[in-house]
Amino acid sequence: MPCSIELIDICKTYRTGDIKVHALDHVTLTIGSGEFVAIVGQSGSGKSTLMNLLGCLDTPTSGQYLLGGEDVSHMTDDQLSDIRNRQIGFIFQGFNLIPSLSAAENVELPLLYRGMEKNERKRLSAEALEKVGLSRRIRHQPFQMSGGQQQRVAIARAIAARPPIILADEPTGNLDSHSGSEVLSILRGLHQEGKTIILITHDNAIAQSADRVIRIQDGKKIEDLRKAAG
């Protein structure tokens, strides 16, 4: 299901004692369905706060966030959880796999929480692991796999329920260059299938995988560049 993203004059402020910190400062941004966007910024730039808002992990202090035309700016935690389950697949720098579970079981776990029937869980898990090139590793536990393979399991977990949006936060941060390239290749493949990919990174070279680069500094959007076609 296509799902566009629109942020309108978004602010996020925190208080540290008497000091008000503007983590996001009047950010307006539109990401069309099916885009591959990199959001780039150094530590403290506001990119992690922006990621949390885009991923419905947090709500803005002011402004409006429309996800697929639906205003999610002031939803409750339960409502946001439902939106995340339906719309967004998350990939993090830390693989967040459960050590005692096999690759297939790790991928199935979110589907189990959604109340999905066992045979359907197994089918979607196997399909997702095949897509990331791990069909022969479905019974392996995380300690039996390399870092790159573990991250591919995490990607399979993110895409198993077929969400329209993939939010990848520093997905190559714990990987060597070869494994990192494999992960970026998988993300490009998902984009070609029509997924909206949002890649959060501090690395300008990693950001070049995307078709559009949005740069965040001091809580503001300071640059928004699209690659020329072809």
Side-chain angles (χ1 to χ4, degrees), residues 36-85:
F36 189 166
V37 177
I39 295 175
V40 185
Q42 298 305 311
S43 178
S45 63
K47 74 178 188 301
S48 294
T49 303
L50 180 57
M51 183 208 74
N52 287 337
L53 289 174
L54 289 171
C56 295
L57 296 165
D58 200 359
T59 54
T61 304
S62 64
Q64 193 174 27
Y65 177 13
L66 301 176
L67 181 60
E70 185 176 10
D71 191 342
V72 301
S73 313
H74 307 292
M75 285 187 171
T76 65
D77 288 346
D78 285 347
Q79 289 172 319
L80 290 174
S81 178
D82 182 58
I83 292 284
R84 290 195 300 271
N85 282 337

Side-chain angles (χ1 to χ4, degrees), residues 51-186:
M51 183 208 74
N52 287 337
L53 289 174
L54 289 171
C56 295
L57 296 165
D58 200 359
T59 54
T61 304
S62 64
Q64 193 174 27
Y65 177 13
L66 301 176
L67 181 60
E70 185 176 10
D71 191 342
V72 301
S73 313
H74 307 292
M75 285 187 171
T76 65
D77 288 346
D78 285 347
Q79 289 172 319
L80 290 174
S81 178
D82 182 58
I83 292 284
R84 290 195 300 271
N85 282 337
R86 289 189 285 112
Q87 304 282 18
I88 305 168
F90 292 92
I91 304 164
F92 296 105
Q93 179 174 341
F95 317 129
N96 298 336
L97 302 179
I98 296 178
S100 59
L101 299 183
S102 68
E105 290 166 338
N106 267 287
V107 174
E108 282 182 50
L109 197 57
L111 306 178
L112 175 65
Y113 291 150
R114 292 177 65 165
M116 195 174 287
E117 191 265 335
K118 182 177 180 180
N119 287 341
E120 181 71 355
R121 291 200 310 266
K122 288 187 175 299
R123 185 182 69 79
L124 291 176
S125 172
E127 189 179 275
L129 285 165
E130 183 174 3
K131 186 167 284 188
V132 298
L134 289 177
S135 56
R136 296 184 179 181
R137 297 266 180 171
I138 62 172
R139 293 183 176 84
H140 286 64
Q141 291 174 267
F143 75 90
Q144 297 172 305
M145 294 183 281
S146 68
Q149 289 168 337
Q150 290 183 60
Q151 186 62 299
R152 281 190 276 158
V153 173
I155 294 173
R157 181 182 57 197
I159 66 175
R162 300 176 179 167
I165 299 168
I166 302 296
L167 193 56
D169 182 22
E170 302 279 7
T172 64
N174 285 338
L175 304 178
D176 59 48
S177 58
H178 175 72
S179 296
S181 294
E182 288 182 333
V183 165
L184 292 173
S185 179
I186 291 170

